[in-house]
Amino acid sequence: MANTNQKGRAIRAESGRTLMLAQFSILLAIEAIFCFTILGSIPMPGGLVATLSMLPVIITAMTMGVKAGSLMGFFFGLFSFLVWTFMPPNPMFAFQFTPFYSFGEVQGNFWSLVICFVPRILVGTVTGLTVKALAGVLPQKKILIAFPIAAILGSMTNTIGVLGLTWLFFGQQVTDLAGTAVAAVVGGLILTNGIPEAVLSAVVCPAVSVPVKTILKRSVN
């Protein structure tokens, strides 16, 4: 009887791992589509882009946890790096995201990689940790509140992280190329793009994550 129970648990564990791998693969494919097509990158004034590519990262963190979300964030950064290196939406400002691109006398450097990767990885980390933290303090009836809050924080992590690091490491270069103070560019993009993206994330990500998480839980059990 004990061997039967152990075998059953092993089968369920293997089934759970297979489901998680399949889910991660699907989300990774969606991430690639968002990053390599116009579906996920919308060129905006000031040299940056409004991106929807953080959505799969947030959904991964919500449904699979901090580690998986952070890993998906790494792939978000990697895909973004490839795009800005080989087919930049705005060549004038590609140096912000890759050390292998220059415009005039402005050359990308190590900090370009920091801007490209760190905020994207932190999207998954912040989202996953927020869901986990709120799940530990909220009553069961209000647990769904955790998802939109986590989505907003995850989305704003990307927006503020990219813009803030750009200001820190390339503020003068962006000011010279854009013809306006980088503070004005950053503030404008947060208001016109960052906030709408956060609202969209708060609507779309929980709408996808909650039923997926429920289905996965039932399948494993």
Side-chain angles (χ1 to χ4, degrees), residues 112-136:
S112 306
L113 295 177
V114 173
I115 295 171
C116 192
F117 280 90
V118 173
R120 280 65 187 272
I121 293 172
L122 289 178
V123 170
T125 306
V126 170
T127 301
L129 289 176
T130 301
V131 170
K132 185 176 181 180
L134 293 178

Side-chain angles (χ1 to χ4, degrees), residues 106-184:
V106 183
Q107 173 71 50
N109 53 40
F110 168 78
W111 299 117
S112 306
L113 295 177
V114 173
I115 295 171
C116 192
F117 280 90
V118 173
R120 280 65 187 272
I121 293 172
L122 289 178
V123 170
T125 306
V126 170
T127 301
L129 289 176
T130 301
V131 170
K132 185 176 181 180
L134 293 178
V137 298
L138 290 174
Q140 190 62 34
K141 292 182 178 180
K142 297 183 178 180
I143 194 65
L144 294 181
I145 298 176
F147 288 90
I149 293 175
I152 290 172
L153 292 178
S155 179
M156 293 306 296
T157 295
N158 180 64
T159 301
I160 295 175
V162 170
L163 295 177
L165 290 175
T166 296
W167 189 351
L168 178 64
F169 298 128
F170 295 110
Q172 188 58 54
Q173 291 91 325
V174 172
T175 295
D176 293 341
L177 291 173
T180 185
V182 68

Side-chain angles (χ1 to χ4, degrees), residues 8-204:
R9 286 195 293 269
I11 292 174
R12 287 194 295 272
E14 183 63 28
S15 176
R17 285 192 292 270
T18 301
L19 283 172
M20 296 291 273
L21 179 59
Q23 179 188 344
F24 189 88
S25 299
I26 292 171
L27 287 167
L28 181 59
I30 295 173
E31 181 66 41
I33 292 171
F34 276 0
C35 286
F36 293 115
T37 72
I38 60 173
L39 295 177
S41 296
I42 306 172
M44 300 298 298
L48 297 177
V49 298
T51 178
L52 302 180
S53 302
M54 69 282 182
L55 296 180
V57 181
I58 295 172
I59 292 171
T60 301
M62 286 181 171
T63 57
M64 302 178 67
V66 177
K67 291 182 179 179
S70 300
L71 179 59
M72 187 64 73
F74 168 79
F75 281 110
F76 176 14
L78 177 62
F79 295 159
S80 180
F81 166 74
L82 293 174
V83 168
W84 283 98
T85 298
F86 297 106
M87 43 184 174
N90 190 331
M92 184 183 295
F93 293 92
F95 68 88
Q96 297 171 237
F97 302 102
T98 172
F100 304 113
Y101 213 97
S102 63
F103 187 84
E105 298 181 355
V106 183
Q107 173 71 50
N109 53 40
F110 168 78
W111 299 117
S112 306
L113 295 177
V114 173
I115 295 171
C116 192
F117 280 90
V118 173
R120 280 65 187 272
I121 293 172
L122 289 178
V123 170
T125 306
V126 170
T127 301
L129 289 176
T130 301
V131 170
K132 185 176 181 180
L134 293 178
V137 298
L138 290 174
Q140 190 62 34
K141 292 182 178 180
K142 297 183 178 180
I143 194 65
L144 294 181
I145 298 176
F147 288 90
I149 293 175
I152 290 172
L153 292 178
S155 179
M156 293 306 296
T157 295
N158 180 64
T159 301
I160 295 175
V162 170
L163 295 177
L165 290 175
T166 296
W167 189 351
L168 178 64
F169 298 128
F170 295 110
Q172 188 58 54
Q173 291 91 325
V174 172
T175 295
D176 293 341
L177 291 173
T180 185
V182 68
V185 175
V186 170
L189 287 174
I190 289 176
L191 290 175
T192 60
N193 301 309
I195 293 177
E197 287 174 5
V199 173
L200 179 64
S201 297
V203 174
V204 173

